[in-house]
Amino acid sequence: MARLRRHARTRRQPHPHRHRPSAVPAHPAPARTAAGGRWHGLVGTRAALGRIGRITLAFAAGHSVALVATALSRLEIPSWPVEAFIAASILVGAVHAIRPLFPDREAVVAGVFGLGHGMAFSFVLAEMHLATGQLVFSLLGFNLGIELVQLLLVCLALPSLLVIARMRVQPTLRVGGALLTGTAALGWLVDRLGAPNPLAQAADSAGAHTTLMLATLALAAVAAVGWTLATGRRALSERGDGVRLRPEPRPEAGPGSELSRNPREHAGHVLGDSRSAGG
């Protein structure tokens, strides 16, 4: 408790790797539906994109509102409860990836999560001790940059999420990723509550490799787009091979038809008609 009181009196700059702006954890199964406390069937691509768009916009709105309000009002808020809230939000998102806690309400929850992330980034501006005029312009540029980074992360993660959602290995990857993320978030949460631990240190060390993470997401996105295009072409070719032109039915040879005649009689008849036409 003494340590918590010391944290409350001081506001340290938040750790840069614990609250990167991304609404991706809020929709861990964008192409899945929830029923009976489990993730089940698939939704269409258009519905999945709409769900992701709503969640991303809600997270951005909450993030921007909290950043602007906290920075302009110059609120003196200790950093540890904000960082603990962010760690708890990541932990909740990880649990939601395993078992749906708030199905069809992800946008609302993402907006609440965005408030904590916005407050954390306002501490960075507070450390600069800018005048009001400088703060406004810095705030606009800072917020725009954060939202662009969030949009980049969502665009890079989206193709892989949509492709993996339609694979049989999807439940294993989803649960494994959620367990890994939840373990890191739990270590962060315990650390911010005053108990440093190896889990938080390992997660911070892994989060420092930003370039490698972006490169991995970019390669996965390119592979997912290529796989989608290849499977689409294969489906179109198989659909085209299944179309066969029906042969025209041959006229039946009746008793009085020309096909029922002797071939020599038929040839002579045709020759006679041509001579009479030429005469």
mmCIF file of all heavy atoms in Angstrom, residues 47 168 211:
data_model
loop_
_atom_site.group_PDB
_atom_site.id
_atom_site.type_symbol
_atom_site.label_atom_id
_atom_site.label_comp_id
_atom_site.label_asym_id
_atom_site.label_seq_id
_atom_site.Cartn_x
_atom_site.Cartn_y
_atom_site.Cartn_z
ATOM 1 N N ALA A 47 -20.066 -8.288 -43.669
ATOM 2 C CA ALA A 47 -20.468 -8.123 -42.271
ATOM 3 C C ALA A 47 -19.249 -8.023 -41.351
ATOM 4 O O ALA A 47 -19.240 -7.232 -40.405
ATOM 5 C CB ALA A 47 -21.356 -9.285 -41.841
ATOM 6 N N ARG A 168 -9.417 -24.428 -40.601
ATOM 7 C CA ARG A 168 -9.692 -25.349 -39.506
ATOM 8 C C ARG A 168 -8.789 -25.091 -38.309
ATOM 9 O O ARG A 168 -9.157 -25.398 -37.167
ATOM 10 C CB ARG A 168 -9.511 -26.791 -39.981
ATOM 11 C CG ARG A 168 -10.543 -27.241 -41.015
ATOM 12 C CD ARG A 168 -10.336 -28.690 -41.379
ATOM 13 N NE ARG A 168 -11.339 -29.163 -42.330
ATOM 14 C CZ ARG A 168 -11.392 -30.390 -42.822
ATOM 15 N NH1 ARG A 168 -10.474 -31.287 -42.429
ATOM 16 N NH2 ARG A 168 -12.323 -30.740 -43.667
ATOM 17 N N THR A 211 9.844 -2.754 -35.477
ATOM 18 C CA THR A 211 10.083 -2.966 -36.911
ATOM 19 C C THR A 211 9.819 -4.413 -37.298
ATOM 20 O O THR A 211 9.201 -4.694 -38.338
ATOM 21 C CB THR A 211 11.524 -2.579 -37.259
ATOM 22 O OG1 THR A 211 11.763 -1.221 -36.874
ATOM 23 C CG2 THR A 211 11.769 -2.721 -38.755
#
